[in-house]
C-alpha cells in the first residue's frame, strides 16, 4: 500500500479539490452543496482514510469488496460512509447491504435482484446507482439505454433496493474537454428518461467525473464526483 497520503500535502490537496468543486458548481448555476465528493481510497491504507477524515471527509469509495471491508474494520471507530464503485459479481451481493452506504455500479438486473434479496434478509435498505455504458467499451461494465429502461422499471418492484441515479465511467481521454460529450450524454439521457415519466427519485444522482475531469463533469451536471489520485496521490 502506498504511503503518499501520509505526506503533509493531503489537507492542502483536499482543500483545493473542494474549492474547485465549489467553483465548478457555481459556474453551472448550482450550490456547492449540490455536489458530493467521494474520496476514492482504493489501494491506500486506513491511515490515508483517517488523514482525510481528520479534514472532515466522510464519504469514501472502494472498488473491491474485500479491500473495502478490511478498511472498514480498521476505521470502525469513525462515522464514515462507504460507497462501492467497482464491478460486483452477483455471488457477492450478500456482502453489500449493511456494509455500504451505496452501491454505484449495478450493471445487471440479476445483480439488482440478488441485492434486493440480500437487503431484505439483512433488514436494511440499499441505495444504488445504475452504471451506464454509453461507449460500449468491452472492458467496462454497464447497461445500454434499452437495458437501463428495463432495469429502472423492474427496480420499482424490488424491495430493499432503491435506485437513486446513474453512474458513468467514460472512455479515458487526456483532455477533459474530450470527455465532456460523454458527461453531457448522460445528463441528456437522464432528462429524456424524466420526460418519459421515469420517477425523479430514480434519477436524482449523476455520478460522473474523476481526478482529471471532475470540473467538466460538474459543469455538465454531476451530483457526485469520485476522486482518488488527485487527493491521495498516484496509485502503484
Ligand atoms: C479508481 C476509480 C475512480 C478514481 O479515479 P482517479 O482517477 O484516481 O480519481 C473513480 N471511479 C471509479 C469507478 C474508479 O474505479
Amino acid at each position: 500500500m502506498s504511503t503518499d497520503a501520509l505526506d503533509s500535502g493531503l489537507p492542502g490537496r483536499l482543500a483545493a479539490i473542494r474549492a474547485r468543486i465549489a467553483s465548478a458548481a457555481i459556474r453551472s448555476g448550482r450550490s456547492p452543496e449540490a455536489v458530493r465528493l467521494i474520496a476514492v481510497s482504493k489501494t491506500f491504507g486506513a491511515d490515508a482514510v483517517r488523514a482525510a477524515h481528520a479534514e472532515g471527509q466522510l464519504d469514501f469509495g472502494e472498488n473491491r469488496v474485500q479491500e473495502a471491508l478490511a478498511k472498514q474494520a480498521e476505521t470502525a471507530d469513525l462515522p464514515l460512509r462507504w460507497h462501492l464503485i467497482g464491478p460486483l459479481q452477483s455471488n457477492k451481493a450478500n456482502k453489500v447491504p449493511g456494509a455500504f452506504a451505496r452501491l454505484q455500479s449495478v450493471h445487471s438486473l440479476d445483480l439488482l435482484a440478488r441485492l434486493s434479496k440480500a437487503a431484505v434478509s439483512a433488514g436494511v435498505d440499499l441505495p444504488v446507482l445504475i452504471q451506464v455504458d454509453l461507449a460500449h467499451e468491452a472492458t467496462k461494465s454497464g447497461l445500454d439505454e434499452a437495458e437501463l429502461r428495463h432495469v429502472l422499471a423492474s427496480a420499482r418492484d424490488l424491495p430493499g433496493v432503491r435506485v437513486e441515479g446513474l453512474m458513468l465511467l467514460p472512455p479515458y481521454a487526456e483532455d477533459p474537454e474530450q470527455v465532456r460529450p460523454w458527461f453531457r450524454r448522460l445528463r441528456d439521457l437522464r432528462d429524456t428518461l424524466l420526460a418519459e415519466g421515469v420517477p425523479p427519485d430514480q434519477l436524482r444522482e449523476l455520478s460522473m467525473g474523476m481526478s482529471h475531469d471532475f470540473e467538466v463533469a460538474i459543469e455538465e451536471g454531476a451530483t457526485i464526483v469520485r476522486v482518488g489520485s488527485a487527493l491521495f496521490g498516484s496509485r502503484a
Side-chain angles (χ1 to χ4, degrees):
M1 298 233 173
S2 170
T3 52
D4 284 11
L6 290 182
D7 70 29
S8 54
L10 189 137
R13 289 195 297 270
L14 183 53
I17 290 165
R18 285 175 174 151
R20 288 167 60 194
I21 288 173
S23 308
I26 290 164
R27 274 203 299 286
S28 68
R30 292 182 296 152
S31 106
E33 290 80 49
V35 181
R36 176 175 296 192
L37 168 65
I38 309 267
V40 179
S41 48
K42 66 186 182 193
T43 78
F44 291 92
D47 46 0
V49 172
R50 287 186 182 279
H53 171 263
E55 302 301 316
Q57 180 65 26
L58 294 177
D59 290 283
F60 291 85
E62 290 282 334
N63 67 342
R64 296 169 64 189
V65 175
Q66 268 342 99
E67 182 182 343
L69 295 180
K71 240 170 270 182
Q72 286 177 13
E74 289 178 79
T75 56
D77 55 312
L78 305 179
L80 308 179
R81 290 186 291 263
W82 293 90
H83 304 253
L84 190 61
I85 60 174
L88 179 73
Q89 290 167 342
S90 289
N91 61 11
K92 291 196 179 151
N94 62 355
K95 297 193 186 294
V96 176
F100 293 90
R102 187 188 274 136
L103 172 64
Q104 294 212 359
S105 44
V106 169
H107 53 75
S108 75
L109 187 53
D110 175 59
L111 175 59
L112 192 62
R114 288 177 193 236
L115 290 165
S116 166
K117 274 200 192 121
V120 169
S121 70
V124 298
D125 244 8
L126 178 68
V128 302
L129 305 181
I130 308 291
Q131 187 171 348
V132 180
D133 172 26
L134 297 173
H136 307 297
E137 288 182 282
T139 54
K140 289 178 188 161
S141 51
L143 297 179
D144 67 25
E145 296 182 21
E147 294 168 325
L148 173 62
R149 284 184 176 81
H150 178 57
V151 169
L152 286 171
S154 307
R156 286 167 223 149
D157 298 323
L158 290 174
V161 285
R162 199 169 60 242
V163 176
E164 295 186 331
L166 310 177
M167 186 270 236
L168 182 69
L169 194 56
Y172 180 82
E174 194 73 39
D175 176 4
E177 286 303 327
Q178 289 185 355
V179 192
R180 186 186 294 275
W182 296 112
F183 296 142
R184 190 169 293 168
R185 271 185 63 181
L186 190 70
R187 186 193 62 202
D188 287 346
L189 175 59
R190 189 266 321 266
D191 292 344
T192 300
L193 293 167
L194 285 172
E196 288 173 7
V198 173
D201 281 355
Q202 284 192 312
L203 296 168
R204 228 173 34 227
E205 309 285 353
L206 290 183
S207 175
M208 54 188 195
M210 306 175 19
S211 285
H212 80 297
D213 57 16
F214 67 85
E215 288 158 298
V216 169
I218 292 168
E219 287 167 11
E220 297 300 331
T223 64
I224 295 170
V225 292
R226 313 175 306 263
V227 177
S229 48
L231 176 58
F232 292 114
S234 57
R235 288 180 293 271

